Amino acid sequence: MTVLSIDLASRSYSDLGLCYLAVRGRPEILNPAALGLTGAPLPVDLAGAIDRFCRQEDVSVLLLDGPQGWRWPESSIQHMRLCERVLNTPARTGDPGQVKPRTYLHFVQFSIEVFREFRLRHGWSLLVEEWPSHTNKRWVVETFPSVAWDLLGLPRLPSKQRCGPPEVEAWRIRLERATPYTLPKGLSHDELQAIAALPAGEAIAEGRQDRVLLAGIDPIISEDGLVFEGLIACPRAATGRRSG
């Protein structure tokens, strides 16, 4: 039951949120620099460093806050994947190279390439609806932390521009009360987002299908290796909710 949740960043490794769960109830925050990640992110370097850590620590579920693939060309839904329609994500991933709003293009391309690196270079598997029936898989899983807050019964964490240290601390306290997690003070916005997605990864690692809500359809892989559509995993309900 070892999970790593990452709030992705495509501009600087210092903006990554890295949350590691090996001891039940006690997420640990990782420093990107301690994994050798400094400067501007590159998918091959990011995936390589994270994969080494995951193999060393026996991580079986890796959560990434970003798209894994493009819209399936034959989909009846225009300009976005089914999972994005269901969850009303701010970025809409269309046909290859097409993203709305356009300002998300760099991040979306980066995220899709990171998923590709994990899948093809390091042997991770994209999550499928029948994941409990597959054994000995290492799952790389798409998340959307904003909806995770909703499903944990909490207001969404405000955007980074509207969320200074006092606001982050207030939401840290809320998240700690809504989950079985003991959370350290002084978290960044990115780290808190990574933790919000963590209950879904913990449920997958434990084989708790009843604790995971999947949006979308199974990923479709073309003959030339492109990934289309895919599932976004969210926590179905808060676990171990505390009172007070």
Side-chain angles (χ1 to χ4, degrees), residues 127-135 139 209 214 218 231:
L127 194 71
V128 294
E129 191 169 358
E130 296 302 319
W131 60 268
S133 65
H134 298 272
T135 58
W139 299 112
Q209 194 170 14
L214 301 178
D218 282 359
L231 296 165

Side-chain angles (χ1 to χ4, degrees), residues 3 24 100 121 152 168:
V3 182
R24 185 180 298 277
K100 292 186 176 183
R121 193 183 298 269
L152 291 170
V168 171

Side-chain angles (χ1 to χ4, degrees), residues 58-113:
D58 199 26
V59 172
S60 61
V61 179
L62 173 61
L63 308 178
L64 299 178
D65 171 28
Q68 63 189 281
W70 302 99
R71 169 189 171 274
W72 179 239
E74 298 178 17
S75 172
S76 60
I77 298 173
Q78 298 298 310
H79 312 302
M80 70 188 79
R81 297 178 296 152
L82 175 60
C83 58
E84 294 167 345
R85 167 67 67 83
V86 171
L87 299 180
N88 192 29
T89 61
R92 309 299 173 91
T93 307
D95 297 338
Q98 302 298 314
V99 177
K100 292 186 176 183
R102 190 73 177 174
T103 51
Y104 281 97
L105 178 60
H106 176 76
F107 174 77
V108 167
Q109 290 178 322
F110 174 82
S111 176
I112 290 174
E113 188 59 30

Side-chain angles (χ1 to χ4, degrees), residues 111-179:
S111 176
I112 290 174
E113 188 59 30
V114 169
F115 270 97
R116 180 181 176 87
E117 285 290 321
F118 278 114
R119 181 175 64 88
L120 296 183
R121 193 183 298 269
H122 302 292
W124 291 77
S125 298
L126 300 176
L127 194 71
V128 294
E129 191 169 358
E130 296 302 319
W131 60 268
S133 65
H134 298 272
T135 58
N136 300 319
K137 292 279 189 180
R138 296 195 304 157
W139 299 112
V140 57
V141 182
E142 183 177 345
T143 64
F144 181 39
S146 293
V147 164
W149 290 95
D150 296 340
L151 296 174
L152 291 170
L154 299 170
R156 293 188 180 190
L157 182 68
S159 66
K160 191 179 294 187
Q161 293 76 15
R162 298 172 47 228
C163 202
E167 289 77 22
V168 171
E169 175 61 13
W171 262 261
R172 181 196 70 82
I173 293 171
R174 287 172 169 167
L175 187 58
E176 189 173 63
R177 289 174 176 171
T179 65

